[in-house]
Amino acid sequence: MIIWQTLPFNKLSTLQFHELIKLRINIFVVEQTCPYPELDDKDIIDDVYHLVGSQNDEIIACARLLPAGISYENVSLGRVATKETARGNGLGHQLIIEALKQCEQHWPGKTIDIGAQEYLQTFYQNHGFKPISEVYMEDGIPHIDMRLNK
């Protein structure tokens, strides 16, 4: 069973933050062979929340929930990741469902924007997101901006 928590930076334990960053670096830097500055100072901004999914006391999924005006004009999701060994059983879908639920709780009725890796476009469309940009390169990976209107 997955335990979901949504916490601001100052409520994450040191161990949770370590595991969260380790998961993100393992996915976005190591697995995707994409060196980039993972610590972009957005994690510590007031009103930014970290959604973590844990199983057996290990973080296996995460997403960053950002208020309007930080990454996009609208509320946004970022740093959406699932541990490689936990994939293939619908965890990514559970993560997005929980992230959208938490966004609605924190910012009711607000539009949500994401910068999705292009290969995940259909995945996000299954959750109601629609493309709002052409494909563009970010850190050497094709991305597309998508929006979920409320």
Side-chain angles (χ1 to χ4, degrees):
M1 183 172 115
I2 298 171
I3 297 168
W4 297 102
Q5 290 181 286
T6 305
L7 303 163
F9 178 78
N10 65 355
K11 298 293 183 194
L12 289 169
S13 72
T14 305
L15 182 59
Q16 283 175 313
F17 184 67
H18 171 81
E19 285 190 26
L20 177 70
I21 293 302
K22 181 179 176 183
L23 175 61
R24 290 177 6 189
I25 289 172
N26 283 345
I27 303 300
F28 300 123
V29 178
V30 178
E31 182 181 322
Q32 296 179 355
T33 60
C34 181
Y36 78 104
E38 169 56 33
L39 294 174
D40 60 5
D41 296 328
K42 293 179 183 178
D43 291 313
I44 61 174
I45 295 173
D46 289 341
D47 212 21
V48 168
Y49 294 92
H50 302 276
L51 172 62
V52 294
S54 301
Q55 191 171 51
N56 300 322
D57 294 323
E58 176 187 18
I59 294 177
I60 60 169
C62 65
R64 186 165 66 180
L65 317 177
L66 303 107
I70 295 189
S71 290
Y72 291 90
E73 179 180 322
N74 295 304
V75 167
S76 63
L77 298 178
R79 302 296 202 264
V80 176
T82 57
K83 188 169 183 175
E84 189 173 20
T85 57
R87 294 180 195 153
N89 296 315
L91 178 60
H93 291 289
Q94 291 176 53
L95 174 59
I96 295 303
I97 290 166
E98 187 65 28
L100 295 177
K101 184 173 115 181
Q102 291 300 316
C103 284
E104 183 62 24
Q105 189 172 353
H106 290 286
W107 307 289
K110 298 294 183 185
T111 296
I112 301 170
D113 289 344
I114 59 172
Q117 292 184 9
E118 181 189 26
Y119 83 95
L120 291 169
Q121 181 175 341
T122 301
F123 170 83
Y124 285 110
Q125 284 176 317
N126 288 334
H127 292 279
F129 286 88
K130 295 187 177 2
I132 58 168
S133 77
E134 297 298 319
V135 174
Y136 60 91
M137 295 299 283
E138 182 175 314
D139 299 319
I141 298 173
H143 281 70
I144 188 164
D145 288 339
M146 301 183 78
R147 178 169 289 155
L148 177 63
N149 287 309
K150 293 288 182 157

